[in-house]
Amino acid sequence: MSDGLKRIIKDSFYITLAIDALLLILILCFWPADGKGSAALGLIWGSAIAMAGFVMICSMVNGLTSVNKGKSKGRTGYYIRYAFYGVCLALGAWLMKFSVLTMLAGILAQKASLVVYSLQEQRKDRK
């Protein structure tokens, strides 16, 4: 994998951790007492799922060679990735009893990290 993709993954991971820390503080302050642990673990589980999916995307992009192969690889990667998301979310909700809301918040935290990363890169380019 290229150094650029590795840097994006690493930076996204750290930004996701920062966003998760803020969300964990909100969970600890406002979530009902009997479900705080499950909610916090759900947030971490959702972020881990999203980071794994992002790494899968980066890995797929790194392996693309031609446009024609890229379409079929992209489609297959898309199906595999969303099956992975579905299975992991179902396992988290059903077996581990994590809050679906906080798992989705974890996924959104990782997606928000990509927006923050791109805004940081835009600011660097302007200077």
Side-chain angles (χ1 to χ4, degrees):
M1 192 173 301
S2 73
D3 288 339
L5 283 176
K6 287 179 185 177
R7 186 175 59 86
I8 293 170
I9 291 169
K10 184 182 84 169
D11 289 351
S12 175
F13 176 75
Y14 289 129
I15 296 168
T16 300
L17 284 178
I19 294 170
D20 280 349
L22 293 173
L23 291 173
L24 280 171
I25 291 168
L26 291 174
I27 286 171
L28 293 175
C29 290
F30 299 109
W31 204 267
D34 60 338
K36 283 184 184 184
S38 175
L41 290 173
L43 178 71
I44 294 166
W45 180 255
S47 292
I49 291 169
M51 273 308 297
F54 182 61
V55 170
M56 291 166 73
I57 291 170
C58 291
S59 167
M60 182 199 62
V61 165
N62 193 55
L64 293 179
T65 55
S66 73
V67 174
N68 291 336
K69 288 183 182 178
K71 284 183 181 180
S72 65
K73 269 186 151 180
R75 191 175 306 116
T76 303
Y78 176 84
Y79 293 139
I80 290 171
R81 203 169 46 259
Y82 277 86
F84 168 76
Y85 291 148
V87 168
C88 288
L89 287 172
L91 286 174
W94 186 44
L95 291 179
M96 296 180 253
K97 306 289 190 234
F98 294 152
S99 165
V100 174
L101 183 62
T102 58
M103 287 190 295
L104 292 175
I107 291 171
L108 289 175
Q110 194 280 325
K111 303 305 179 194
S113 77
L114 297 175
V115 172
V116 170
Y117 174 82
S118 67
L119 291 173
Q120 287 176 339
E121 289 299 307
Q122 255 183 355
R123 191 177 305 141
K124 286 179 189 175
D125 289 344
R126 285 186 202 149
K127 290 181 180 179

